[in-house]
Amino acid sequence: MKNLFGLKLNDLEEYFISINEKKYKASQVFEWLYHHRIYNIDDFTNIKIDIREKLKSVFTTEMIKIKKFEEGIDVKKYLFELLDGNYVEGVLMHHDYGYSLCVSSEVGCNMGCKFCESGRLKKVRNLEAYEMVEQIILIEDQEKIRIDRVVVMGIGEPFDNYDNVVDFIKIINEPKGLALGARHITVSTCGIVPKILEFANLNLQVNLALSLHAPNDEIRNKIMPINKVYNISQTLAAIKEYLEKNNRRVTIEYVMINMVNDSDDNAYELANILKGMNVYVNLIPYNETNNLGFKKSKRINEFKNILLKCGINTTVRREFGGSISGACGQLRSKEV
Ligand code: SAH
């Protein structure tokens, strides 16, 4: 059985057409799910009983569960239990402008970044689109809030689960559904070049972030195995193509790790490779985990100032959740 939360509006329209019903019924179903927040198909009262029965014979609205959560200042971290017993995480952050939610895209991750907790546990499987949508729905319902921004930066590499992530974006972007504006959705990739190029052609107008984390191949090879498949120059060439096709500024993420990538020379080198590109650098204070031995850099401000002096737009990411297993994958890591 398919989960209704994994369907795009046009998938559901096609279903209704295939059973000789009017396609506007798809909009009615979306209204129940995303506006009224009614998930029991029997309660879709403006849809005739025999059609509800048909719906029930092919679709479910079964939900993943919140297994536990941890709370800090302006941040709440959730451990979700999927229907097959696997776990993923989501992090809700409270900003001045509202709430943002960081969702996971895979159970585990195969990218193996040396500093990242999620990568310690290999990928078990992709998340289905409905499992990503339900992370949002569950938290909105439980907290009685509306989420303004969604970032696909939780456990997993979104472009290693490309089709489901693209469906997820289309579902939450749908005006008749959650209606999250494209500009309020961010996808972060470690740099799977063919998928960056494919994504560029979709022109979805969402925000793209690249986890670069190093100014040269020597350092990047040591901390991010993906760099041995697509090196920095190939990756930045793909970003340039994305910029040409989408005309949307790209975020370059750079996690600041003590003595690994935080020297003055590294900053100058980074400024040099990004020169002239429509990007901005988001420096991420490294979130230390118990298991990996990397330390947070103490040179974030110096590093930022060099980039600024070189004309590169740079911000420092606000730290959330250092006290609460805030680092990617930590909550799940304790569980499995
Ligand atoms: N796979 C995707 C998205 C998931 S991770 C990607 O690589 O972009 C989201 C971001 O957090 C990435 O930039 C990742 O490198 C970074 N990250 C991972 N572990 C971290 C840690 N312990 N502290 C700070 N940032 C971390």
Side-chain angles (χ1 to χ4, degrees), residues 31-237:
E31 242 165 59
W32 286 112
L33 297 179
Y34 296 107
H35 294 187
H36 305 309
R37 300 296 165 105
I38 298 286
Y39 313 130
N40 185 346
I41 295 174
D42 289 325
D43 294 335
F44 296 178
T45 46
N46 56 359
I47 293 174
K48 287 205 293 278
I49 289 184
D50 59 320
I51 301 174
R52 278 185 246 157
E53 290 303 323
K54 276 190 194 163
L55 274 175
K56 276 162 51 185
S57 70
V58 273
F59 297 116
T60 80
T61 52
E62 239 185 321
M63 287 269 190
I64 65 173
K65 290 189 195 70
I66 296 175
K67 168 90 174 170
K68 68 175 188 193
F69 59 83
E70 288 183 12
E71 215 166 348
I73 299 161
D74 287 340
V75 61
K76 198 159 171 181
K77 184 150 191 167
Y78 301 83
L79 185 72
F80 297 108
E81 183 175 349
L82 308 176
L83 297 173
D84 64 359
N86 277 306
Y87 295 112
V88 292
E89 298 178 7
V91 184
L92 179 70
M93 286 156 285
H94 194 190
H95 307 264
D96 334 327
Y97 61 77
Y99 288 96
S100 71
L101 180 68
C102 174
V103 300
S104 292
S105 57
E106 299 179 327
V107 179
C109 182
N110 277 341
M111 298 300 115
C113 298
K114 297 287 187 283
F115 50 84
C116 178
E117 187 73 15
S118 312
R120 260 183 359 110
L121 303 161
K122 285 285 152 260
K123 174 162 152 181
V124 177
R125 66 172 175 83
N126 289 329
L127 288 197
E128 301 290 326
Y130 84 86
E131 295 173 306
M132 294 180 254
V133 175
E134 288 182 359
Q135 294 175 50
I136 303 174
I137 297 285
L138 264 179
I139 288 178
E140 286 195 338
D141 288 359
Q142 160 146 340
E143 306 293 344
K144 301 191 171 41
I145 55 166
R146 283 289 170 263
I147 287 163
D148 307 279
R149 283 174 190 271
V150 168
V151 297
V152 189
M153 288 191 192
I155 296 172
E157 165 50 45
F159 284 177
D160 189 33
N161 181 17
Y162 183 83
D163 292 340
N164 291 339
V165 167
V166 168
D167 275 357
F168 165 67
I169 292 170
K170 290 179 176 166
I171 293 166
I172 64 174
N173 183 225
E174 167 57 49
K176 288 181 174 161
L178 288 176
L180 270 156
R183 278 143 208 246
H184 291 213
I185 302 169
T186 300
V187 180
S188 175
T189 179
C190 66
I192 300 185
V193 164
K195 295 298 171 188
I196 295 174
L197 298 173
E198 209 174 320
F199 199 67
N201 288 329
L202 292 181
N203 212 322
L204 291 174
Q205 294 298 307
V206 300
N207 305 305
L208 179 67
L210 171 72
S211 295
L212 187 61
H213 303 331
N216 60 47
D217 286 327
E218 196 194 334
I219 298 176
R220 201 163 191 261
N221 282 339
K222 282 191 197 141
I223 54 176
M224 297 181 71
I226 189 71
N227 201 64
K228 295 184 181 147
V229 187
Y230 310 107
N231 65 21
I232 292 183
S233 83
Q234 291 167 312
T235 308
L236 291 183

Side-chain angles (χ1 to χ4, degrees), residues 5-16:
F5 287 106
L7 267 66
K8 303 189 289 296
L9 184 66
N10 69 309
D11 298 331
L12 199 52
E13 286 174 347
E14 272 167 28
Y15 165 76
F16 280 111

